[in-house]
Amino acid sequence: MSRVIQITPSYKPIITLHIRLKSLFCIIPILIWTLLIPGEVRASTISANTLSAANLKFYGEYSSLKTKDLYEMAKEYDRRNSVDSALVCYSVIADRYLAGSAPEKDLKICATALNNLGYIYASYFFDVQKALQYFQESLELSEKINYEASIAYVYFNMGGVYLDCAELDGGTTFTREILDYSIKSLDAALKVGDNMLALAACLNVGLHALDESNWKTLALINEGFSKIREDSDSTLYPYTKEYFHGLNAMKEGRDGDALSYFTEAQRHARDFPMIQTKLEMYALYG
């Protein structure tokens, strides 16, 4: 069972709380998790070289466009779910940065394009190593220009890739990576006030804790969750609140209360139509 939540087309987070924002869950096929070597291979030159012949034609045509215009085109393709076309636009932007030809004023767009390329390669082409290469490039650039909102999403996506791969592995192979990146994402999201992303990071760790019956893991994020205001503008908050009450009740051996909280969480899943079925499923799992 794999998952992702696309929260915004500008960042394309892989919310693998077993959820995904746009279609709530992307599947990373088997046999690729062994290739996870973030940072060892640079992403330079990989995008254009791996495009299809048809997309290479558009790559050449788009190469003369301004970075901002390419980004707006990519967002529109995202909206239409035209993944190949978005891939071409983001690839042109990424290659400009990787070649050192991107002006400083375009670096935030480049950081987002690199992150979105990682999302596309992970979610649609199932190339985990290439996805992590792009995420690593985005993270390094985002840190360099102090682009904190982007840092939060990149951490989240990297944790999401490891969580999907851990599910396929069926063990605890990537527990350290999952927790490390998810908690970093939670902290970064709280810092920039991104409630949706913070809640998604909490849910990812919470679900991982439930899968492993590891209540020490749950303790790691209870404090972070408590910092999200109850009047949060995120529609995901009521569900997450009940889900966490349920997890903590289980931790304390209050099974009857836990069942009540998970039942209430299931009801709140209806407030989030895009991912209602998946949220209901996880409440039922609890």
Side-chain angles (χ1 to χ4, degrees):
M1 211 171 352
S2 135
R3 55 273 181 143
V4 189
I5 291 184
Q6 179 184 332
I7 291 178
T8 159
S10 298
Y11 291 104
K12 294 244 183 230
I14 294 180
I15 295 185
T16 89
L17 90 199
H18 306 318
I19 331 184
R20 167 180 158 199
L21 208 138
K22 185 173 182 184
S23 63
L24 219 197
F25 310 157
C26 104
I27 293 179
I28 308 285
I30 258 170
L31 300 180
I32 28 187
W33 63 267
T34 54
L35 301 177
L36 301 182
I37 317 173
E40 287 192 10
V41 184
R42 304 297 288 183
S44 307
T45 75
I46 65 176
S47 54
N49 291 344
T50 55
L51 295 175
S52 68
N55 281 340
L56 276 173
K57 175 178 180 293
F58 289 110
Y59 182 98
E61 293 177 0
Y62 291 171
S63 293
S64 62
L65 299 178
K66 294 181 179 178
T67 298
K68 184 177 180 181
D69 293 338
L70 279 167
Y71 180 62
E72 292 302 320
M73 286 173 61
K75 287 201 298 182
E76 177 60 22
Y77 286 132
D78 277 335
R79 190 185 66 78
R80 299 182 200 167
N81 204 30
S82 299
V83 178
D84 283 349
S85 298
L87 173 67
V88 175
C89 294
Y90 289 135
S91 294
V92 175
I93 296 171
D95 284 349
R96 286 177 183 172
Y97 166 71
L98 296 170
S101 60
E104 187 173 352
K105 66 180 179 64
D106 291 336
L107 291 182
K108 283 189 174 183
I109 294 177
C110 292
T112 302
L114 288 162
N115 184 45
N116 287 4
L117 277 172
Y119 173 93
I120 289 173
Y121 277 108
S123 301
Y124 294 96
F125 300 119
F126 315 128
D127 190 331
V128 172
Q129 184 167 2
K130 192 173 296 180
L132 287 172
Q133 289 170 14
Y134 277 122
F135 289 145
Q136 186 66 33
E137 291 285 355
S138 181
L139 179 61
E140 291 177 8
L141 173 57
S142 299
E143 290 176 336
K144 179 180 177 181
I145 63 177
N146 198 30
Y147 191 10
E148 294 180 345
S150 177
I151 291 171
Y153 277 89
V154 176
Y155 278 144
F156 186 86
N157 279 343
M158 294 176 84
V161 168
Y162 281 108
L163 184 51
D164 276 330
C165 292
E167 286 193 347
L168 291 170
D169 179 43
T172 58
T173 310
F174 299 116
T175 294
R176 182 182 60 81
E177 290 85 357
I178 293 166
L179 295 180
D180 183 44
Y181 287 121
S182 296
I183 291 170
K184 283 182 177 179
S185 176
L186 171 60
D187 291 342
L190 288 171
K191 187 175 181 180
V192 298
D194 191 327
N195 292 323
M196 173 70 86
L197 189 62
L199 289 166
C202 284
L203 280 171
N204 275 353
V205 179
L207 284 163
H208 184 69
L210 181 58
D211 285 343
E212 302 296 327
S213 297
N214 185 343
W215 303 126
K216 290 183 180 179
T217 296
L218 181 62
L220 294 173
I221 49 169
N222 273 331
E223 182 180 355
F225 178 72
S226 70
K227 294 178 181 178
I228 304 173
R229 300 187 320 273
E230 184 145 5
D231 62 349
S232 165
D233 56 0
S234 171
T235 52
L236 194 56
Y237 185 87
Y239 176 91
T240 309
K241 176 184 176 181
E242 298 299 334
Y243 197 91
F244 265 79
H245 282 327
L247 289 175
N248 281 290
M250 288 181 68
K251 174 185 175 183
E252 296 164 8
R254 296 183 289 113
D255 293 345
D257 290 341
L259 286 171
S260 296
Y261 286 130
F262 287 129
T263 300
E264 187 66 11
Q266 183 184 7
R267 186 179 70 79
H268 280 299
R270 302 167 194 163
D271 300 333
F272 213 114
M274 286 188 293
I275 55 174
Q276 178 180 342
T277 301
K278 297 297 183 181
L279 290 178
E280 287 181 343
M281 180 175 65
Y282 291 112
L284 289 168
Y285 179 59

